[in-house]
Amino acid sequence: MERSGKKMILKPIQISKKLDGNGEEEAMLLSPASRMFHEPDYNVYVLAIMGWKIPIDVDSMKVVLQSKMLKHPRFSSLQVMDETDGGRNMRWIPTTVNIDDHIVVPQIAHNNLDTDKLVEDYISSLSTTTVDMSKPLWDFHVLNVKTSHAEATSVFRIHHSIGDGTALMSLLLSCFRTISDPNSLPTLPISSSSKNKSNLSSNKKSIHLDKDGSTSESLMWQYLVKLWLFIKLLFNTVVDVLLFIATALFLKDSQSPFTATRGYKSSTRQRYIYRTVNLDDIKFIKNLTNATVNDVVVGITQATMSRYIHRRYEVEGKRKFPLDGMRCRANVIVNLRPALGVQAISEMIEKNVPVIQGNSFGFVIMPLTIAQFSNPLDYVRKSKTLMDRKKHSLESLCTFYALQLFIKFFGFKGAAKLAQRVPFQTTLAFSNVIGPVEEISCAGHPLVFVAPTCSGYPTGIMVHVCSYAKKLTFAIAADEGIIPDLNQLGDDFVDSFMLIKEAALTKLRTKVD
């Protein structure tokens, strides 16, 4: 791989092709979405930042990675340009992996220094480098430095072409075991959509059991409701797709501290911080407002951005920013593939059965409310209204197929331009990943937190949210040229959460009285 300015130029690797018994090539093509992540200015890596309760024993971690991760073909295969079609496609070529080539243990001198800053600087430096194309595109960085967050920190860096966040999380968790039962795999919580489906099926059964003669009337009302929901779904989808197209072409968010100025060129360096809050408190707010966890998380994000923008403009001595008329939107990355589950993936790896991985995601453009509310719970209420509206739309599916069409008619470069354009026109990128419900450990190392994020994504700021046991972690990635005080923004997430929690407690006390 060569670098020319900020452009990444992939050189073909000369390697002999493996043939099967019929003399045909075994190597599989990268999927179109995975291939797109190799385009210039769209060279994206997933970073799984993990904190540990004890210092990391590198040798024991190597054993786990060797026995688990390397059984997955994509972690033991090169990604090679296919010279037969002029380098348009890339193929997976199985190779022998030397685990030591993928384990990085930097020597960090931290005598009388701020270890939090040292770890933050090191993780930030990963955004300026890439994994050598002559080996599988992943590495594992071990930082045995005590910080205010954990006794040790590690970063699992994986090229996004290997898989999306949901697929990689399930694969990563197959290396862990629960602390309460060292022989048990972690479990992921059941999504609300699955619960809704089960409730729907039970409701259908109850209708068939109705014997009071009003079944036909209730069925008629059901058909009318379904017709209305279909019309609503169609209308919302058309509106959302038109807005997505407008965003790709010309519709840009209002100028704010989170957006790049006209003519601004993003730097090659990003900074990463993470803040953890109590998941039970999030669920308490959720129950009190009759919302979902996602509603509360989006509400906290809206409150944080409003707080940061308002303070930033006041500090700089400028007139008060017109928050009410501000256009601020999030580019939400939505996984479209049902998660296989940790147990299923673990069994498939042990039996050497190919695991369905790769990238299957769409985009949703989500407007955010930037305002100063006297009642912090209004941020959650606003987000609930917004999220309820987005649930009745097929925007994510339509954008997924739009990317496939772009790849077909304009090639990977055209699709990558579209994927770059939308984040640039919006204020921030947002994604969430569901983590295990239990406390877990890997090779005897108890996990404190997991903070997934990305490097190389074409946006000024990106927010990832990940649950783990009774914790919820906000991981914020930002171009250091746009957000100079990223730790202050991280503190704003915690402060906004505390204000919303206090407002919820006040409302509960009022109800009790």
Side-chain angles (χ1 to χ4, degrees):
M1 180 181 294
E2 293 181 353
R3 300 191 68 167
S4 175
K6 294 180 183 177
K7 302 257 180 162
M8 306 301 298
I9 302 173
L10 300 176
K11 294 183 68 178
I13 299 174
Q14 301 297 328
I15 186 168
S16 59
K17 297 179 180 178
K18 292 191 174 184
L19 305 178
D20 60 18
N22 298 321
E24 296 180 351
E25 187 180 352
E26 288 183 353
M28 293 180 60
L29 284 172
L30 270 72
S31 68
S34 294
R35 173 64 180 85
M36 190 174 65
F37 283 112
H38 283 286
E39 285 302 307
D41 298 324
Y42 207 65
N43 198 34
V44 183
Y45 282 83
V46 176
L47 306 180
I49 306 170
M50 293 173 280
W52 306 90
K53 288 185 179 181
I54 61 175
I56 299 171
D57 182 348
V58 178
D59 290 334
S60 63
M61 283 292 186
K62 284 183 183 179
V63 172
V64 173
L65 292 175
Q66 185 86 42
S67 62
K68 299 291 183 182
M69 302 300 286
L70 295 191
K71 287 186 176 182
H72 191 286
R74 296 198 174 189
F75 283 82
S76 56
S77 296
L78 303 176
Q79 298 183 38
V80 180
M81 287 289 188
D82 189 347
E83 299 177 19
T84 61
D85 64 354
R88 183 177 182 273
N89 289 305
M90 298 180 71
R91 293 184 179 274
W92 299 99
I93 305 293
T95 188
T96 301
V97 177
N98 181 358
I99 191 69
D100 291 325
D101 292 339
H102 296 266
I103 307 296
V104 182
V105 187
Q107 299 299 320
I108 301 179
H110 54 87
N111 295 331
N112 300 321
L113 295 176
D114 184 353
T115 54
D116 284 15
K117 183 68 164 55
L118 286 173
V119 171
E120 182 184 321
D121 288 344
Y122 181 84
I123 298 175
S124 175
S125 70
L126 295 180
S127 66
T128 65
T129 64
T130 58
V131 180
D132 195 328
M133 290 287 292
S134 63
K135 62 184 181 182
L137 298 183
W138 63 273
D139 53 22
F140 187 76
H141 299 254
V142 177
L143 304 173
N144 272 321
V145 178
K146 183 178 180 180
T147 66
S148 60
H149 302 284
E151 289 291 325
T153 305
S154 67
V155 183
F156 207 152
R157 179 169 61 166
I158 307 166
H159 197 269
H160 215 312
S161 59
I162 292 178
D164 54 36
T166 300
L168 293 176
M169 174 61 81
S170 296
L171 185 62
L172 180 64
L173 290 179
S174 67
C175 299
F176 286 79
R177 295 295 182 269
T178 62
I179 292 178
S180 59
D181 183 0
N183 296 318
S184 297
L185 287 163
T187 55
L188 297 174
I190 300 174
S191 64
S192 57
S193 60
S194 300
K195 293 178 181 178
N196 291 337
K197 287 179 182 178
S198 62
N199 291 337
L200 183 61
S201 62
S202 62
N203 289 339
K204 288 181 178 179
K205 291 179 181 178
S206 64
I207 291 173
H208 290 298
L209 293 175
D210 188 4
K211 298 181 180 178
D212 61 359
S214 61
T215 305
S216 59
E217 183 179 346
S218 63
L219 283 175
M220 182 185 70
W221 277 109
Q222 276 200 11
Y223 288 133
L224 289 174
V225 170
K226 286 180 179 179
L227 177 62
W228 163 245
L229 290 177
F230 173 75
I231 295 172
K232 184 178 179 181
L233 178 70
L234 184 62
F235 177 79
N236 289 343
T237 301
V238 171
V239 171
D240 289 342
V241 170
L242 289 176
L243 285 175
F244 180 86
I245 294 172
T247 300
L249 294 176
F250 61 87
L251 189 61
K252 185 173 174 59
D253 282 2
S254 304
Q255 190 62 43
S256 76
F258 296 104
T259 56
T261 57
R262 185 179 298 275
Y264 175 82
K265 293 183 178 180
S266 63
S267 71
T268 58
R269 191 181 186 95
Q270 291 179 301
R271 302 202 72 85
Y272 307 93
I273 56 102
Y274 33 89
R275 297 292 187 269
T276 299
V277 299
N278 191 299
L279 184 57
D280 286 340
D281 290 338
I282 295 285
K283 292 178 179 179
F284 163 68
I285 299 169
K286 169 188 79 88
N287 294 332
L288 193 69
T289 56
N290 193 28
T292 66
V293 170
N294 282 340
D295 296 339
V296 178
V297 167
V298 173
I300 293 171
T301 302
Q302 293 181 134
T304 299
M305 296 181 66
S306 301
R307 181 186 183 92
Y308 183 89
I309 290 174
H310 192 270
R311 183 186 60 251
R312 177 84 172 266
Y313 275 85
E314 281 191 343
V315 169
E316 293 179 358
K318 299 181 181 179
R319 63 183 177 83
K320 186 176 180 181
F321 194 81
L323 298 180
D324 293 338
M326 179 181 178
R327 182 190 300 118
C328 178
R329 295 170 300 164
N331 163 37
V332 183
I333 302 149
V334 181
N335 176 67
L336 298 177
R337 183 193 298 110
L340 292 177
V342 183
Q343 183 71 38
I345 286 183
S346 179
E347 291 177 356
M348 293 170 79
I349 290 176
E350 292 299 328
K351 296 176 181 178
N352 292 321
V353 177
V355 181
I356 300 173
Q357 295 287 353
N359 290 275
S360 179
F361 59 87
F363 298 107
V364 170
I365 305 298
M366 185 170 65
L368 300 176
T369 301
I370 305 299
Q372 294 290 105
F373 292 129
S374 57
N375 184 357
L377 285 178
D378 287 342
Y379 290 108
V380 179
R381 297 188 183 103
K382 287 282 186 181
S383 66
K384 174 177 168 51
T385 302
L386 168 67
M387 298 291 279
D388 287 346
R389 155 69 175 76
K390 285 294 181 179
K391 288 173 185 176
H392 294 91
S393 173
L394 299 177
E395 181 181 3
S396 58
L397 272 175
C398 292
T399 53
F400 170 78
Y401 287 117
L403 275 177
Q404 306 307 308
L405 286 175
F406 258 74
I407 292 172
K408 182 176 181 179
F409 292 109
F410 303 104
F412 300 110
K413 294 185 183 296
K417 288 294 182 184
L418 174 64
Q420 294 169 26
R421 181 73 174 169
V422 173
F424 180 76
Q425 296 284 80
T426 52
T427 301
L428 64 90
F430 189 92
S431 182
N432 67 340
V433 181
I434 299 176
V437 298
E438 314 95 343
E439 291 191 348
I440 57 177
S441 66
C442 179
H445 298 73
L447 187 68
V448 178
F449 70 87
V450 55
T453 185
C454 287
S455 68
Y457 195 74
T459 187
I461 180 169
M462 190 169 192
V463 178
H464 278 82
V465 182
C466 183
S467 61
Y468 166 53
K470 295 185 177 181
K471 302 174 184 177
L472 189 79
T473 299
F474 292 88
I476 304 102
D479 189 304
E480 63 180 6
I482 293 180
I483 308 293
D485 51 349
L486 189 56
N487 276 290
Q488 178 61 62
L489 179 63
D491 293 340
D492 284 341
F493 269 93
V494 177
D495 293 341
S496 297
F497 159 72
M498 294 302 295
L499 286 172
I500 294 174
K501 175 187 171 183
E502 184 58 37
L505 288 171
T506 301
K507 181 179 179 180
L508 181 64
R509 295 190 197 103
T510 303
K511 281 185 174 181
V512 172
D513 294 340

